[in-house]
Amino acid sequence: DGVLFKPGTNEIAEESQYIIDKIVSLIEDMPNLLRIEGHTDSAEGLKNGKNDSSWFLSTMRAVAVLKYMVFQGRIIPERSSAMGYGDMKPLVPNDTPDHRAINRRVEIVLLFKDMVTLKTGKEQPVNFDYKNQVPKPSDPKNEEKKPAEKTE
């Protein structure tokens, strides 16, 4: 399944909102940074006459999904970003209406870093326990020790 958009729009299809809701329920407690990536098919551009750029449209799709997730209050905006690729990364050739529909999508990417901001808002080292899918405290043995300051 994917998040569906009508050609030339950044409005999330109502029947696709449940997909985003399911994804949010899986990732909302993860410490990872999120990047929402928007995509278009090769024939798209905004139909409102203001801008026909597929990059702009793909970015607006990513922003629409990000706003939907954040406005539910379950995803922290400070750990999220949105970007658009236009029609530069199609999943399938843009040679049929069905293929173009597949390429009108967003992808939700979980980013892994040594430092992440948790719901506390404080930046702290986190090791991820992949078996249990939870963050675990950093091991103090692995932290770099600072030399003691000299006092005169």
Side-chain angles (χ1 to χ4, degrees):
D1 286 341
V3 177
L4 306 175
F5 298 92
K6 292 182 181 175
T9 74
N10 66 323
E11 186 175 330
I12 301 168
E14 191 172 324
E15 62 271 16
S16 295
Q17 292 176 355
Y18 82 96
I19 297 169
I20 301 171
D21 294 338
K22 284 183 179 181
I23 292 169
V24 167
S25 69
L26 293 171
I27 65 174
E28 67 183 322
D29 292 325
M30 296 178 87
N32 303 73
L33 300 174
L34 303 174
R35 183 174 62 221
I36 315 300
E37 299 177 350
H39 301 269
T40 64
D41 67 44
S42 62
E44 285 190 297
L46 288 179
K47 306 297 184 202
N48 63 12
K50 292 182 182 175
N51 193 322
D52 62 353
S53 166
S54 63
W55 272 327
F56 181 78
L57 178 58
S58 64
T59 302
M60 294 308 295
R61 285 182 174 163
V63 169
V65 171
L66 180 56
K67 285 172 60 175
Y68 180 85
M69 294 167 69
V70 167
F71 289 161
Q72 290 181 5
R74 295 167 58 193
I75 296 294
I76 300 171
E78 292 81 8
R79 72 177 184 132
S80 308
S81 63
M83 65 184 302
Y85 284 105
D87 60 356
M88 298 293 128
K89 293 188 172 190
L91 292 176
V92 295
N94 281 297
D95 54 358
T96 68
D98 287 341
H99 283 173
R100 285 190 291 277
I102 290 169
N103 290 327
R104 290 191 299 271
R105 69 192 191 283
V106 297
E107 296 173 350
I108 298 171
V109 180
L110 296 175
L111 302 172
F112 292 85
K113 292 178 63 168
D114 292 331
M115 299 294 283
V116 297
T117 303
L118 299 175
K119 287 190 176 185
T120 62
K122 296 179 182 176
E123 201 166 78
Q124 52 188 307
V126 173
N127 295 318
F128 201 79
D129 179 347
Y130 292 95
K131 182 177 178 185
N132 297 312
Q133 296 294 301
V134 296
K136 59 185 181 180
S138 290
D139 185 350
K141 294 184 290 186
N142 295 335
E143 291 183 16
E144 197 173 306
K145 297 189 183 205
K146 295 181 182 177
E149 290 184 24
K150 291 183 183 180
T151 56
E152 293 182 22

